[in-house]
Amino acid sequence: DAAQLNVAVDAPKETTVGAGMSIEATLTNEGGDACLLDIGGASLGAVINSGDQTVWTSTTCPAEPTERPLLVDVGESARASLTWSVAAAGTYRLHLQLDGTDITGEQVFLIQ
């Protein structure tokens, strides 16, 4: 259950066109039991929006491994990295999804 996860996102607040952007996600099990968590490219995804349009979703063409199931004990964490090849200058919003469900709020960043 995603409600049992504490999700931390580490991504730059600013980057430049062509530099690429690395998004680091840490998912910590805060539930009462160990959980099986798939953080592969087809399950854990980044969504980038500009205005009311979705610019990129990492699960559309998922990175390898597409499946990465991990047994995460109570209080333990799983980590994953996602990379976006920055397309154009502008102001964007980022949030993460797990199996299509939003697991973070939006984080604003700037590309110059």
Side-chain angles (χ1 to χ4, degrees), residues 2 9 12 18-19 21 24 27 29 49 54 67 72 81 84 86 89-90 93 99-101 106 110:
V9 178
M21 182 171 140
E24 305 296 326
L27 293 83
N29 179 2
N49 296 306
T54 299
E67 294 180 8
V72 182
S81 295
W84 179 43
V86 176
R93 297 181 324 277
D99 294 324
T101 300
E106 291 186 329
L110 180 66

Side-chain angles (χ1 to χ4, degrees), residues 13-108:
K13 300 285 185 204
E14 266 185 47
T15 190
T16 57
V17 173
M21 182 171 140
S22 181
I23 304 160
E24 305 296 326
T26 303
L27 293 83
T28 303
N29 179 2
E30 293 187 340
D33 296 306
C35 67
L36 186 59
L37 182 61
D38 185 351
I39 60 168
S43 296
L44 179 64
V47 179
I48 309 265
N49 296 306
S50 178
D52 61 354
Q53 293 189 351
T54 299
V55 176
W56 180 71
T57 303
S58 66
T59 55
T60 300
C61 293
E64 293 291 333
T66 57
E67 294 180 8
R68 187 174 161 212
L70 299 172
L71 184 61
V72 182
D73 205 357
V74 175
E76 296 295 318
S77 299
R79 291 175 183 76
S81 295
L82 305 162
T83 303
W84 179 43
S85 299
V86 176
T91 301
Y92 296 87
R93 297 181 324 277
L94 158 73
H95 70 274
L96 296 184
Q97 293 183 333
L98 185 61
D99 294 324
T101 300
D102 292 343
I103 57 172
T104 66
E106 291 186 329
Q107 181 175 331
V108 176

